[in-house]
Amino acid sequence: PLRRLRLRASAAAPPATKQRVAVLGASGYTGAELVRILLQHPFVEIAALTANSQAGQPFSAVFPQFATQKSLPDLITMDDVDYDDVDVVFACLPHAKTQETVKELPENVKVIDLSADFRLADVDTYEEWYGKPHVAVELQKEAVYGLTEVARGDIAEARLVANPGCYPTASQLPLIPLLKEGLIKADDIIIDAKSGTTGAGRAPKQGTLFCEVTDGIHAYGVASHRHAPEIEQGLNRALEAAGAPPTAVVNFTPHLMPSKPKPEPKLQPKPEPKPEPQPKSPSQISQAREPKPEGSNERSCASPPNLTGPCQCRAVSSR
């Protein structure tokens, strides 16, 4: 994916100046991975990195693998960011925190939110699954769900982009084309997904300690994982775009593996049944047995008629 990113960036028309970027919440795993990608983008300059609890430290003090990147700014608090000097903000903040933060940002700044705060278009669904009321309802109305392969044009024009979750991205990309073509049933899709421990964040938790996860694999969030409504939302949008009713229902079960973060969903959709061939009527059988005129190039039966399928024929050439 990074190689494709570099190729696409190189082929694009370069902007007059590089886009100056601020990463809010840069001290988490999401922030570190984002910084790694942005450093390879030819049209981006990282202008600010925030981490309130590590403000004043170099980024390499938190992530030593960036020790050679001397151009990176030191960590600062969010209150110290000069948004007049920023074109794009990437928000890598905890759920519910981004809504409060984005409301206070200048309207000329574009925002890409990597939390789940703007992924669900229906604010009641958000409250049901995340346990808190949505506090930026007006912003939610303008948010674009950022699945690039599906909404590339809308993303380019958007001020606020909701970056999809890891499991929803890996699940939607193979399922959406199948649904659009009517090849699978929408109302009974099984997603057996697996991922590493970094998805749980960097804060220490008993369930993600080495001794808890090594040499094993276990399901979590069974029938209650927050990515399930996000996946169904994307699949139903695809069905509606294809002129079909939004009937997608997923049985989504994530599993935790002792590995690096690479979501691996095993998809088990059921194919749509194809119509059974209709038996031939007596009149159709009689017509098939009628002799053809001399000199005809039409096909003639070379075997007894097949009552449950097409006749086995050969071409008769004219003399």
Side-chain angles (χ1 to χ4, degrees), residues 218-302:
H218 68 272
Y220 68 98
V222 178
S224 62
H225 198 282
R226 293 165 171 175
H227 282 176
E230 183 181 340
I231 296 171
E232 289 185 351
Q233 172 184 266
L235 300 183
N236 281 323
R237 284 176 172 175
L239 288 168
E240 290 180 317
T247 57
V249 177
V250 299
N251 183 345
F252 173 64
T253 305
H255 296 75
L256 186 65
M257 298 191 302
S259 69
K260 292 183 178 181
K262 289 184 179 179
E264 299 177 1
K266 180 181 179 183
L267 309 175
Q268 301 177 48
K270 295 183 179 180
E272 281 285 7
K274 294 183 178 180
E276 294 291 333
Q278 298 297 318
K280 291 187 176 182
S281 66
S283 61
Q284 290 175 316
I285 296 173
S286 175
Q287 290 174 3
R289 287 175 172 169
E290 290 180 0
K292 306 298 180 193
E294 287 189 18
S296 172
N297 283 329
E298 295 182 16
R299 301 183 68 80
S300 174
C301 288

Side-chain angles (χ1 to χ4, degrees), residues 46-67:
I46 299 177
L49 300 171
T50 79
N52 289 352
S53 60
Q54 284 101 2
Q57 300 183 44
F59 191 61
S60 58
V62 181
F63 294 107
Q65 64 266 38
F66 293 97

Side-chain angles (χ1 to χ4, degrees), residues 16-319:
T17 58
K18 289 187 176 183
Q19 297 295 294
R20 292 179 60 78
V21 167
V23 179
L24 308 184
S27 60
Y29 290 135
T30 301
E33 181 66 8
L34 175 61
V35 169
R36 184 183 69 82
I37 294 173
L38 292 176
L39 283 171
Q40 301 181 62
H41 200 296
F43 305 146
V44 165
E45 179 182 350
I46 299 177
L49 300 171
T50 79
N52 289 352
S53 60
Q54 284 101 2
Q57 300 183 44
F59 191 61
S60 58
V62 181
F63 294 107
Q65 64 266 38
F66 293 97
T68 60
Q69 301 295 331
K70 304 301 182 183
S71 63
L72 287 176
D74 290 344
L75 295 166
I76 58 176
T77 67
M78 286 198 293
D79 291 337
D80 291 331
V81 177
D82 180 5
Y83 292 104
D84 292 333
D85 192 38
V86 169
D87 301 302
V88 182
V89 165
F90 285 87
C92 308
L93 302 170
H95 304 317
K97 180 67 174 176
T98 303
Q99 294 171 4
E100 299 174 357
T101 302
V102 173
K103 285 199 307 182
E104 305 302 324
L105 295 180
E107 293 187 1
N108 62 301
V109 175
K110 291 195 173 185
V111 179
I112 301 175
D113 176 29
L114 281 80
S115 79
D117 275 12
F118 295 98
R119 293 175 188 165
L120 297 177
D122 185 85
V123 294
D124 293 331
T125 302
Y126 173 87
E127 182 175 356
E128 176 186 351
W129 285 86
Y130 287 88
K132 296 180 180 180
H134 203 295
V135 299
V137 177
E138 292 303 315
L139 281 174
Q140 181 62 65
K141 295 176 182 178
E142 66 175 276
V144 171
Y145 188 72
L147 193 61
T148 312
E149 290 80 357
V150 175
R152 186 180 301 274
D154 292 335
I155 293 169
E157 301 298 326
R159 185 221 164 199
L160 172 58
V161 176
N163 196 74
C166 54
Y167 287 128
T169 299
S171 300
Q172 290 178 83
L173 289 180
L175 288 173
I176 284 176
L178 298 175
L179 287 172
K180 283 186 172 182
E181 295 299 323
L183 298 176
I184 60 174
K185 290 185 176 181
D187 59 357
D188 189 11
I189 299 173
I190 298 174
I191 303 175
D192 174 12
K194 301 169 182 66
S195 184
T197 59
T198 56
R202 202 177 185 199
K205 304 177 184 68
Q206 179 178 331
T208 56
L209 294 174
F210 175 80
C211 294
E212 299 289 332
V213 300
T214 190
D215 298 328
I217 181 173
H218 68 272
Y220 68 98
V222 178
S224 62
H225 198 282
R226 293 165 171 175
H227 282 176
E230 183 181 340
I231 296 171
E232 289 185 351
Q233 172 184 266
L235 300 183
N236 281 323
R237 284 176 172 175
L239 288 168
E240 290 180 317
T247 57
V249 177
V250 299
N251 183 345
F252 173 64
T253 305
H255 296 75
L256 186 65
M257 298 191 302
S259 69
K260 292 183 178 181
K262 289 184 179 179
E264 299 177 1
K266 180 181 179 183
L267 309 175
Q268 301 177 48
K270 295 183 179 180
E272 281 285 7
K274 294 183 178 180
E276 294 291 333
Q278 298 297 318
K280 291 187 176 182
S281 66
S283 61
Q284 290 175 316
I285 296 173
S286 175
Q287 290 174 3
R289 287 175 172 169
E290 290 180 0
K292 306 298 180 193
E294 287 189 18
S296 172
N297 283 329
E298 295 182 16
R299 301 183 68 80
S300 174
C301 288
S303 60
N306 184 349
L307 298 185
T308 61
C311 292
Q312 306 300 313
C313 300
R314 61 181 175 82
V316 180
S317 60
S318 61
R319 295 177 182 274

